[in-house]
Protein backbone atom coordinates (compact mmCIF):
# COMPACT_ATOMS: atom_id res chain seq x y z
CA UNK A 1 0.00 0.00 0.00
CA UNK A 2 1.31 3.43 -0.92
CA UNK A 3 2.17 5.82 1.88
CA UNK A 4 0.23 9.06 2.24
CA UNK A 5 3.23 11.12 1.10
CA UNK A 6 3.63 9.19 -2.15
CA UNK A 7 -0.10 9.35 -2.84
CA UNK A 8 -0.26 13.13 -2.50
CA UNK A 9 2.87 13.80 -4.53
CA UNK A 10 5.59 14.33 -1.90
CA UNK A 11 9.08 12.99 -2.52
CA UNK A 12 11.69 13.04 0.20
CA UNK A 13 15.35 13.67 -0.55
CA UNK A 14 18.34 13.60 1.76
CA UNK A 15 17.85 17.27 2.64
CA UNK A 16 14.17 18.11 2.26
CA UNK A 17 10.78 17.06 0.94
CA UNK A 18 10.03 17.98 -2.67
CA UNK A 19 6.42 18.74 -3.63
CA UNK A 20 5.27 18.23 -7.20
CA UNK A 21 2.33 20.33 -8.37
CA UNK A 22 0.81 22.52 -11.04
CA UNK A 23 -0.10 26.08 -10.17
CA UNK A 24 -3.75 26.98 -9.63
CA UNK A 25 -5.57 29.88 -8.03
CA UNK A 26 -5.47 28.33 -4.55
CA UNK A 27 -1.74 27.68 -4.85
CA UNK A 28 -1.28 31.34 -5.85
CA UNK A 29 -3.26 32.37 -2.76
CA UNK A 30 -1.08 30.29 -0.44
CA UNK A 31 2.07 31.52 -2.16
CA UNK A 32 1.17 35.18 -1.60
CA UNK A 33 0.18 34.57 2.01
CA UNK A 34 3.35 32.59 2.72
CA UNK A 35 5.41 35.40 1.20
CA UNK A 36 3.78 37.79 3.69
CA UNK A 37 4.47 35.31 6.50
CA UNK A 38 8.13 35.10 5.45
CA UNK A 39 8.52 38.87 5.42
CA UNK A 40 6.81 39.03 8.81
CA UNK A 41 8.65 36.30 10.71
CA UNK A 42 11.38 34.95 8.42
CA UNK A 43 9.90 31.44 8.14
CA UNK A 44 8.89 29.89 4.83
CA UNK A 45 5.62 27.97 5.32
CA UNK A 46 5.11 27.51 1.57
CA UNK A 47 5.57 24.02 0.14
CA UNK A 48 7.64 25.56 -2.66
CA UNK A 49 10.59 27.94 -2.67
CA UNK A 50 9.55 31.57 -2.55
CA UNK A 51 10.60 33.43 -5.68
CA UNK A 52 12.30 36.21 -3.75
CA UNK A 53 15.75 37.68 -4.42
CA UNK A 54 18.51 35.96 -2.45
CA UNK A 55 19.51 39.22 -0.77
CA UNK A 56 15.94 39.78 0.40
CA UNK A 57 15.77 36.23 1.80
CA UNK A 58 19.10 36.60 3.58
CA UNK A 59 18.19 39.99 5.04
CA UNK A 60 14.75 38.75 6.17
CA UNK A 61 16.26 35.76 7.97
CA UNK A 62 18.82 37.92 9.80
CA UNK A 63 16.29 40.63 10.67
CA UNK A 64 13.81 38.00 11.84
CA UNK A 65 16.36 36.54 14.28
CA UNK A 66 17.09 40.02 15.66
CA UNK A 67 13.37 40.80 15.94
CA UNK A 68 12.76 37.45 17.60
CA UNK A 69 15.36 38.25 20.26
CA UNK A 70 13.83 41.70 20.84
CA UNK A 71 10.35 40.20 21.15
CA UNK A 72 11.67 37.67 23.66
CA UNK A 73 13.13 40.54 25.70
CA UNK A 74 9.75 42.31 25.60
CA UNK A 75 7.93 39.17 26.75
CA UNK A 76 10.38 38.73 29.63
CA UNK A 77 10.06 42.39 30.61
CA UNK A 78 6.25 42.29 30.61
CA UNK A 79 6.20 38.95 32.44
CA UNK A 80 8.47 39.92 35.35
CA UNK A 81 7.08 43.44 35.74
CA UNK A 82 4.78 42.23 38.53
CA UNK A 83 7.90 41.42 40.60
CA UNK A 84 9.77 44.67 39.90
CA UNK A 85 6.94 47.23 39.84
CA UNK A 86 5.68 48.13 43.29
CA UNK A 87 2.80 50.29 44.51
CA UNK A 88 0.67 49.63 41.44
CA UNK A 89 -2.97 50.60 41.69
CA UNK A 90 -5.69 48.27 40.43
CA UNK A 91 -5.86 49.92 37.01
CA UNK A 92 -2.12 49.45 36.41
CA UNK A 93 -2.30 45.87 37.68
CA UNK A 94 -5.03 45.24 35.11
CA UNK A 95 -2.84 46.78 32.40
CA UNK A 96 0.01 44.54 33.52
CA UNK A 97 -2.21 41.47 33.02
CA UNK A 98 -3.47 42.90 29.75
CA UNK A 99 -0.06 42.42 28.13
CA UNK A 100 1.87 39.89 30.24
CA UNK A 101 0.05 36.53 29.80
CA UNK A 102 -1.27 37.35 26.29
CA UNK A 103 2.26 38.13 25.04
CA UNK A 104 3.48 34.78 26.37
CA UNK A 105 0.52 32.90 24.82
CA UNK A 106 0.79 34.60 21.42
CA UNK A 107 4.52 34.02 21.16
CA UNK A 108 4.05 30.39 22.13
CA UNK A 109 1.57 30.15 19.26
CA UNK A 110 3.99 31.74 16.81
CA UNK A 111 6.83 29.49 17.96
CA UNK A 112 4.62 26.40 17.64
CA UNK A 113 3.82 27.25 14.02
CA UNK A 114 7.52 27.70 13.24
CA UNK A 115 8.40 24.36 14.84
CA UNK A 116 5.61 22.63 12.91
CA UNK A 117 6.35 24.31 9.59
CA UNK A 118 6.86 21.01 7.73
CA UNK A 119 3.46 19.76 8.87
CA UNK A 120 1.87 23.06 7.85
CA UNK A 121 3.52 22.79 4.42
CA UNK A 122 2.15 19.29 3.94
CA UNK A 123 -1.31 20.39 5.10
CA UNK A 124 -1.48 23.44 2.83
CA UNK A 125 -0.15 21.36 -0.09
CA UNK A 126 -2.91 18.81 0.41
CA UNK A 127 -5.58 21.52 0.48
CA UNK A 128 -4.25 23.68 -2.36
CA UNK A 129 -2.92 21.01 -4.72
CA UNK A 130 -4.18 17.50 -4.00
CA UNK A 131 -7.80 18.20 -3.10
CA UNK A 132 -8.19 20.97 -5.66
CA UNK A 133 -6.70 18.65 -8.26
CA UNK A 134 -9.26 15.97 -7.47
CA UNK A 135 -12.26 18.25 -7.97
CA UNK A 136 -13.00 21.93 -7.72
CA UNK A 137 -15.68 24.48 -8.49
CA UNK A 138 -14.28 27.69 -9.97
CA UNK A 139 -16.99 29.91 -8.50
CA UNK A 140 -16.42 28.57 -4.99
CA UNK A 141 -12.66 28.84 -5.36
CA UNK A 142 -12.95 32.50 -6.34
CA UNK A 143 -15.28 33.13 -3.41
CA UNK A 144 -12.83 31.39 -1.07
CA UNK A 145 -9.94 33.58 -2.22
CA UNK A 146 -11.99 36.76 -1.83
CA UNK A 147 -13.09 35.79 1.66
CA UNK A 148 -9.54 34.92 2.73
CA UNK A 149 -8.14 38.25 1.57
CA UNK A 150 -11.08 40.20 2.93
CA UNK A 151 -10.75 38.77 6.42
CA UNK A 152 -6.94 38.86 6.40
CA UNK A 153 -6.91 42.53 5.47
CA UNK A 154 -9.60 43.29 8.05
CA UNK A 155 -7.58 41.47 10.72
CA UNK A 156 -4.41 43.37 9.81
CA UNK A 157 -6.22 46.72 9.78
CA UNK A 158 -7.77 46.02 13.19
CA UNK A 159 -4.43 45.24 14.82
CA UNK A 160 -2.61 48.13 13.17
CA UNK A 161 -5.44 50.49 14.06
CA UNK A 162 -5.28 49.31 17.66
CA UNK A 163 -1.53 49.92 17.80
CA UNK A 164 -1.76 53.43 16.34
CA UNK A 165 -4.82 54.53 18.32
CA UNK A 166 -3.38 53.20 21.58
CA UNK A 167 -0.19 55.18 21.00
CA UNK A 168 -2.12 58.34 20.16
CA UNK A 169 -4.41 58.09 23.20
CA UNK A 170 -1.58 57.30 25.62
CA UNK A 171 0.51 60.09 24.12
CA UNK A 172 -2.35 62.54 24.55
CA UNK A 173 -2.89 61.46 28.17
CA UNK A 174 0.84 61.77 28.92
CA UNK A 175 1.01 65.26 27.42
CA UNK A 176 -2.10 66.64 29.15
CA UNK A 177 -1.87 64.98 32.58
CA UNK A 178 0.75 63.91 35.08
CA UNK A 179 0.82 60.34 33.70
CA UNK A 180 3.83 58.85 31.91
CA UNK A 181 3.61 57.36 28.42
CA UNK A 182 3.14 53.72 29.45
CA UNK A 183 1.40 51.36 27.06
CA UNK A 184 3.09 48.19 28.29
CA UNK A 185 4.17 48.14 31.94
CA UNK A 186 7.87 47.15 31.80
CA UNK A 187 10.15 45.53 34.32
CA UNK A 188 12.06 48.79 34.24
CA UNK A 189 11.70 51.78 34.59
CA UNK A 190 9.38 52.55 37.48
CA UNK A 191 6.08 54.10 36.38
CA UNK A 192 6.84 57.39 38.14
CA UNK A 193 10.40 57.75 36.85
CA UNK A 194 10.59 60.66 34.41
CA UNK A 195 14.18 60.63 33.19
CA UNK A 196 15.00 60.73 29.47
CA UNK A 197 16.28 57.15 29.61
CA UNK A 198 13.04 55.97 31.22
CA UNK A 199 10.96 57.73 28.57
CA UNK A 200 12.99 56.19 25.76
CA UNK A 201 12.63 52.76 27.37
CA UNK A 202 8.82 53.08 27.45
CA UNK A 203 8.74 54.15 23.79
CA UNK A 204 10.97 51.18 22.87
CA UNK A 205 8.58 48.83 24.68
CA UNK A 206 5.70 50.32 22.71
CA UNK A 207 7.55 49.88 19.39
CA UNK A 208 8.48 46.29 20.24
CA UNK A 209 4.80 45.60 20.77
CA UNK A 210 4.36 46.27 17.05
CA UNK A 211 6.91 43.54 16.27
CA UNK A 212 4.72 41.11 18.20
CA UNK A 213 1.67 42.29 16.27
CA UNK A 214 3.48 41.92 12.94
CA UNK A 215 4.83 38.43 13.65
CA UNK A 216 1.63 37.05 15.15
CA UNK A 217 -0.54 38.65 12.46
CA UNK A 218 1.53 37.10 9.66
CA UNK A 219 1.22 33.60 11.16
CA UNK A 220 -2.52 34.09 11.64
CA UNK A 221 -2.83 34.66 7.89
CA UNK A 222 -1.78 31.10 7.04
CA UNK A 223 -3.99 29.63 9.77
CA UNK A 224 -6.95 31.61 8.47
CA UNK A 225 -6.25 30.49 4.89
CA UNK A 226 -6.20 26.84 6.00
CA UNK A 227 -9.48 27.13 7.93
CA UNK A 228 -11.29 28.90 5.09
CA UNK A 229 -9.81 26.43 2.60
CA UNK A 230 -11.29 23.52 4.57
CA UNK A 231 -14.60 25.31 4.89
CA UNK A 232 -14.91 25.64 1.12
CA UNK A 233 -13.55 22.12 0.59
CA UNK A 234 -16.70 20.72 2.17
CA UNK A 235 -18.79 22.99 -0.07
CA UNK A 236 -16.88 21.71 -3.10
CA UNK A 237 -17.44 18.09 -2.06
CA UNK A 238 -21.17 18.75 -1.71
CA UNK A 239 -21.15 20.05 -5.29
CA UNK A 240 -19.20 16.97 -6.35
CA UNK A 241 -21.73 14.47 -4.95
CA UNK A 242 -24.66 16.45 -6.34
CA UNK A 243 -22.99 16.36 -9.77
CA UNK A 244 -22.93 12.54 -9.82
CA UNK A 245 -26.61 12.57 -10.82
CA UNK A 246 -25.55 13.79 -14.25
CA UNK A 247 -23.81 10.46 -14.93
CA UNK A 248 -27.17 8.81 -15.49
CA UNK A 249 -28.18 11.49 -18.01
CA UNK A 250 -25.57 10.32 -20.53
CA UNK A 251 -26.04 8.14 -23.60
CA UNK A 252 -24.04 5.10 -22.36
CA UNK A 253 -25.69 1.85 -21.43
CA UNK A 254 -27.18 1.64 -17.96
CA UNK A 255 -24.53 -0.87 -16.88
CA UNK A 256 -21.78 1.53 -17.98
CA UNK A 257 -23.47 4.42 -16.14
CA UNK A 258 -23.66 2.31 -12.97
CA UNK A 259 -19.97 1.45 -13.24
CA UNK A 260 -19.03 5.11 -13.73
CA UNK A 261 -21.21 6.16 -10.82
CA UNK A 262 -19.72 3.52 -8.52
CA UNK A 263 -16.17 4.57 -9.41
CA UNK A 264 -17.04 8.25 -9.00
CA UNK A 265 -18.65 7.64 -5.61
CA UNK A 266 -15.55 5.76 -4.41
CA UNK A 267 -13.47 8.68 -5.63
CA UNK A 268 -15.64 11.03 -3.56
CA UNK A 269 -15.10 8.85 -0.48
CA UNK A 270 -11.33 9.12 -0.98
CA UNK A 271 -11.70 12.89 -1.23
CA UNK A 272 -13.69 12.97 1.99
CA UNK A 273 -11.15 10.77 3.76
CA UNK A 274 -8.30 13.07 2.73
CA UNK A 275 -10.28 16.10 3.90
CA UNK A 276 -10.79 14.50 7.32
CA UNK A 277 -7.02 13.93 7.46
CA UNK A 278 -6.60 17.67 6.84
CA UNK A 279 -8.98 18.41 9.73
CA UNK A 280 -6.90 16.21 12.03
CA UNK A 281 -3.68 17.87 10.88
CA UNK A 282 -5.19 21.31 11.40
CA UNK A 283 -5.95 20.33 14.97
CA UNK A 284 -2.38 19.10 15.47
CA UNK A 285 -0.59 22.02 13.83
CA UNK A 286 -2.88 24.88 14.85
CA UNK A 287 -4.30 23.63 18.13
CA UNK A 288 -1.85 25.72 20.16
CA UNK A 289 -2.92 28.79 18.18
CA UNK A 290 -6.59 28.21 18.96
CA UNK A 291 -5.85 27.60 22.65
CA UNK A 292 -3.59 30.68 22.82
CA UNK A 293 -6.28 32.79 21.20
CA UNK A 294 -8.82 31.67 23.79
CA UNK A 295 -6.47 32.38 26.72
CA UNK A 296 -5.45 35.72 25.28
CA UNK A 297 -8.97 36.95 24.82
CA UNK A 298 -10.35 35.79 28.17
CA UNK A 299 -7.45 37.46 30.02
CA UNK A 300 -7.70 40.57 27.83
CA UNK A 301 -11.44 41.01 28.37
CA UNK A 302 -11.13 40.54 32.14
CA UNK A 303 -8.26 43.07 32.32
CA UNK A 304 -10.18 45.62 30.27
CA UNK A 305 -13.30 45.26 32.43
CA UNK A 306 -11.21 45.77 35.56
CA UNK A 307 -9.65 48.88 34.03
CA UNK A 308 -13.06 50.24 33.09
CA UNK A 309 -14.30 49.76 36.64
CA UNK A 310 -11.48 51.78 38.19
CA UNK A 311 -10.82 54.56 35.68
CA UNK A 312 -12.34 58.00 35.64
CA UNK A 313 -14.84 57.62 32.83
CA UNK A 314 -13.71 60.38 30.52
CA UNK A 315 -13.65 60.05 26.74
CA UNK A 316 -9.85 59.84 26.65
CA UNK A 317 -9.75 57.08 29.26
CA UNK A 318 -12.62 55.04 27.81
CA UNK A 319 -11.60 55.22 24.14
CA UNK A 320 -8.57 52.85 24.30
CA UNK A 321 -10.57 50.34 26.35
CA UNK A 322 -13.44 50.34 23.86
CA UNK A 323 -10.95 49.97 21.00
CA UNK A 324 -9.26 47.04 22.71
CA UNK A 325 -12.59 45.32 23.40
CA UNK A 326 -13.75 45.83 19.81
CA UNK A 327 -10.53 44.52 18.29
CA UNK A 328 -10.39 41.58 20.71
CA UNK A 329 -13.94 40.44 20.04
CA UNK A 330 -13.70 40.95 16.28
CA UNK A 331 -10.29 39.32 15.85
CA UNK A 332 -11.33 36.32 17.93
CA UNK A 333 -14.59 36.10 16.05
CA UNK A 334 -12.82 35.94 12.70
CA UNK A 335 -11.22 32.65 13.72
CA UNK A 336 -13.95 31.09 15.82
CA UNK A 337 -16.70 31.93 13.33
CA UNK A 338 -14.78 30.44 10.41
CA UNK A 339 -13.93 27.34 12.43
CA UNK A 340 -17.66 27.08 13.15
CA UNK A 341 -18.35 27.40 9.41
CA UNK A 342 -16.19 24.32 8.81
CA UNK A 343 -18.48 22.36 11.15
CA UNK A 344 -21.59 23.83 9.52
CA UNK A 345 -20.52 23.05 5.94
CA UNK A 346 -19.52 19.52 6.95
CA UNK A 347 -23.09 18.83 8.17
CA UNK A 348 -24.36 19.24 4.59
CA UNK A 349 -22.16 16.51 3.14
CA UNK A 350 -24.19 13.43 4.13
CA UNK A 351 -27.29 14.97 2.54
CA UNK A 352 -25.35 15.61 -0.69
CA UNK A 353 -24.22 11.97 -0.66
CA UNK A 354 -27.80 10.77 -0.27
CA UNK A 355 -28.91 12.88 -3.25
CA UNK A 356 -26.01 11.76 -5.46
CA UNK A 357 -28.15 9.41 -7.61
CA UNK A 358 -27.63 6.00 -5.97
CA UNK A 359 -31.31 5.15 -6.52
CA UNK A 360 -30.64 4.84 -10.27
CA UNK A 361 -28.54 1.72 -9.73
CA UNK A 362 -30.07 -1.74 -10.11
CA UNK A 363 -29.29 -5.33 -9.20
CA UNK A 364 -25.88 -6.14 -7.73
CA UNK A 365 -24.64 -2.62 -8.50
CA UNK A 366 -27.42 -1.25 -6.29
CA UNK A 367 -26.40 -3.58 -3.46
CA UNK A 368 -22.75 -2.51 -3.66
CA UNK A 369 -23.57 1.18 -3.91
CA UNK A 370 -26.00 1.08 -0.98
CA UNK A 371 -23.34 -0.51 1.20
CA UNK A 372 -20.85 2.18 0.17
CA UNK A 373 -23.46 4.88 0.70
CA UNK A 374 -24.36 3.64 4.19
CA UNK A 375 -20.72 3.63 5.31
CA UNK A 376 -19.98 7.00 3.71
CA UNK A 377 -23.06 8.70 5.17
CA UNK A 378 -22.31 7.25 8.59
CA UNK A 379 -18.81 8.71 8.46
CA UNK A 380 -20.06 12.04 7.15
CA UNK A 381 -22.53 12.31 10.03
CA UNK A 382 -19.74 12.37 12.61
CA UNK A 383 -19.32 15.99 13.73
CA UNK A 384 -16.32 17.72 12.19
CA UNK A 385 -14.96 20.16 14.74
CA UNK A 386 -11.83 22.19 15.35
CA UNK A 387 -11.02 22.48 19.04
CA UNK A 388 -9.01 24.56 21.45
CA UNK A 389 -7.30 22.72 24.32
CA UNK A 390 -8.48 19.55 22.56
CA UNK A 391 -11.94 19.89 24.15
CA UNK A 392 -13.43 23.31 23.34
CA UNK A 393 -15.21 23.33 19.99
CA UNK A 394 -14.64 26.54 18.08
CA UNK A 395 -18.02 27.77 16.92
CA UNK A 396 -20.53 30.57 17.25
CA UNK A 397 -21.78 29.07 20.52
CA UNK A 398 -18.31 28.76 22.05
CA UNK A 399 -17.58 32.36 21.04
CA UNK A 400 -20.53 33.53 23.14
CA UNK A 401 -19.45 31.17 25.93
CA UNK A 402 -15.97 32.71 25.92
CA UNK A 403 -17.39 36.21 26.40
CA UNK A 404 -19.72 34.98 29.16
CA UNK A 405 -16.81 33.19 30.87
CA UNK A 406 -14.73 36.36 30.90
CA UNK A 407 -17.61 38.35 32.40
CA UNK A 408 -18.32 35.63 34.99
CA UNK A 409 -14.70 35.58 36.15
CA UNK A 410 -14.69 39.38 36.30
CA UNK A 411 -17.90 39.36 38.38
CA UNK A 412 -16.39 36.91 40.88
CA UNK A 413 -13.14 38.88 41.16
CA UNK A 414 -14.92 42.24 41.54
CA UNK A 415 -16.91 40.96 44.52
CA UNK A 416 -13.78 40.06 46.50
Amino acid sequence: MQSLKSRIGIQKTATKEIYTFETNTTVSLFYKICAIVFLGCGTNLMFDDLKLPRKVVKICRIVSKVFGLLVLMLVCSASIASFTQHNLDMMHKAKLWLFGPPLVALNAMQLNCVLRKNQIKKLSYTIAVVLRGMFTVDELEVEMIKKTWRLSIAFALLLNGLFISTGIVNGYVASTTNETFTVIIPAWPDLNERSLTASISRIVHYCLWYLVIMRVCSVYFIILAIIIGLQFQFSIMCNYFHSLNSIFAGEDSHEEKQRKYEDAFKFGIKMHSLTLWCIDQTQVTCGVAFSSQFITNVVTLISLMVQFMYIERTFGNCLPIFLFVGVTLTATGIFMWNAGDVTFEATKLHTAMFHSGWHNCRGQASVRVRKLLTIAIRQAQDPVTIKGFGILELSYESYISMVKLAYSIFSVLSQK
Side-chain angles (χ1 to χ4, degrees), residues 263-335:
D263 291 342
F265 195 88
K266 290 178 180 178
F267 186 79
I269 293 175
K270 291 180 181 179
M271 198 189 314
H272 182 217
S273 177
L274 196 54
T275 303
L276 293 179
W277 177 85
C278 290
I279 293 291
D280 292 338
Q281 288 300 300
T282 300
Q283 186 65 60
V284 171
T285 57
C286 305
V288 173
F290 303 136
S291 302
S292 298
Q293 185 72 16
F294 185 87
I295 294 172
T296 297
N297 287 277
V298 170
V299 173
T300 299
L301 290 174
I302 294 172
S303 301
L304 291 171
M305 285 186 281
V306 171
Q307 282 192 53
F308 187 75
M309 186 172 65
Y310 283 92
I311 64 171
E312 181 183 354
R313 292 182 179 83
T314 62
F315 177 76
N317 289 335
C318 293
L319 180 60
I321 293 179
F322 290 152
L323 288 172
F324 239 114
V325 170
V327 170
T328 299
L329 293 178
T330 306
T332 305
I334 287 176
F335 288 94

